[in-house]
Amino acid sequence: MAITLKSVLLNLRSRLAFKTLVFGISLIILKTSGFSIWSVILFLVLSAALYSRPIFQTFFYIYQFAILISLILLLLPHFSGFYFWGATLGFSLLFYFLLGLKNLVFIDRLSPNYLIHFGLIYGVLLAFFLENFEFFIFKSIILFFTIGILLSGILKGKLIWGFLPALLISEAAVFVSWLPLGFLQSANFVFVISWFLADTITQYRQKILTIKTVFRSLLISILLIGLIFLTSGWSF
């Protein structure tokens, strides 16, 4: 029985790895084609086919899939060289974990769930800060709802657990957008705040929140933000 289960999991993961490889190659083709209309359409059709088959829990992660595809189309045209290959690897890994969760490939589902949602949150923040003041109010509203949906996927339960910290994160993003930081440093800054809020709320709901755990998370956040400031090229 154990051998059969192991062989089934191995087969499922092999298929998952192959689909991820195809997805990654499609990102390279999309970039080299200059994001022409036909290459975008082909990419959308191929991505939907890779995601939806087999038709199992297809709509359970549909929001996460839609956010991932949107981020690819928004961010990838702006990256080149090392950053392009890093983004391609990152998006492919997110697709791998998303597909693995959808198709029940992973035994441990908590870690991949965290990786997907925090990875998408980081991508959303990059997209928000990429072109800071274009359609600023519209982008702020989209940021709030998107972060709220993603945090709800991490914190589970009622939507208020996701959208309340999303409001604070959106306000923090608006504040940080006025600082003389690059878009990468700005996204890192707000991402640390997002992690701190999600971690604190998770501990509170699990009834393990103490002054010690809050102090530990706060100290880690302050150190990371300090590192971001030290490595930033300030431009007034």
Side-chain angles (χ1 to χ4, degrees):
M1 182 65 181
I3 296 174
T4 304
L5 180 60
K6 185 177 180 180
S7 63
V8 169
L9 287 175
L10 184 62
N11 187 36
L12 287 173
R13 291 187 178 183
S14 298
R15 292 182 183 179
L16 182 58
F18 176 73
K19 285 187 174 183
T20 304
L21 179 62
V22 173
F23 183 80
I25 293 173
S26 71
L27 295 182
I28 298 172
I29 295 173
L30 189 63
K31 179 68 174 179
T32 53
S33 68
F35 287 83
S36 66
I37 183 65
W38 293 112
S39 65
V40 171
I41 292 174
L42 180 63
F43 168 71
L44 292 175
V45 172
L46 178 61
S47 300
L50 290 172
Y51 171 77
S52 60
R53 295 178 63 88
I55 302 175
F56 179 70
Q57 291 198 122
T58 301
F59 296 102
F60 195 78
Y61 293 100
I62 193 67
Y63 291 121
Q64 291 85 342
F65 176 69
I67 292 170
L68 174 62
I69 298 301
S70 299
L71 288 175
I72 289 171
L73 296 178
L74 284 171
L75 292 175
L76 215 55
H78 297 275
F79 294 144
S80 59
F82 171 79
Y83 292 103
F84 166 73
W85 293 109
T88 299
L89 178 60
F91 285 133
S92 298
L93 286 174
L94 288 177
F95 183 77
Y96 174 84
F97 288 119
L98 181 60
L99 210 57
L101 280 181
K102 170 188 170 288
N103 296 335
L104 302 178
V105 175
F106 302 124
I107 297 174
D108 172 24
R109 297 174 60 81
L110 186 62
S111 298
N113 185 65
Y114 277 12
L115 283 170
I116 289 168
H117 287 90
F118 276 118
L120 291 176
I121 286 172
Y122 186 67
V124 169
L125 291 172
L126 284 176
F128 177 79
F129 288 111
L130 192 59
E131 295 175 352
N132 225 351
F133 294 102
E134 291 191 12
F135 309 106
F136 189 71
I137 296 177
F138 176 74
K139 285 170 59 176
S140 301
I141 296 171
I142 295 297
L143 177 70
F144 165 68
F145 282 104
T146 308
I147 295 289
I149 291 171
L150 293 173
L151 284 178
S152 298
I154 296 173
L155 301 171
K156 307 296 183 182
K158 296 180 179 179
L159 289 177
I160 187 65
W161 291 112
F163 280 91
L164 184 59
L167 179 61
L168 299 176
I169 293 167
S170 301
E171 291 175 347
V174 171
F175 170 76
V176 171
S177 66
W178 293 96
L179 296 178
L181 297 171
F183 84 97
L184 190 60
Q185 289 77 22
S186 298
N188 291 338
F189 189 162
V190 181
F191 181 76
V192 172
I193 296 173
S194 304
W195 170 80
F196 172 75
L197 290 173
D199 184 61
T200 303
I201 293 173
T202 299
Q203 291 182 40
Y204 172 77
R205 295 188 64 200
Q206 292 176 350
K207 302 186 186 305
I208 58 173
L209 186 66
T210 63
I211 294 177
K212 183 178 179 180
T213 57
V214 172
F215 180 77
R216 182 204 63 192
S217 299
L218 187 60
L219 181 60
I220 293 173
S221 300
I222 291 172
L223 289 174
L224 289 174
I225 290 174
L227 183 63
I228 292 168
F229 281 154
L230 287 174
T231 56
S232 298
W234 293 79
S235 56
F236 293 91

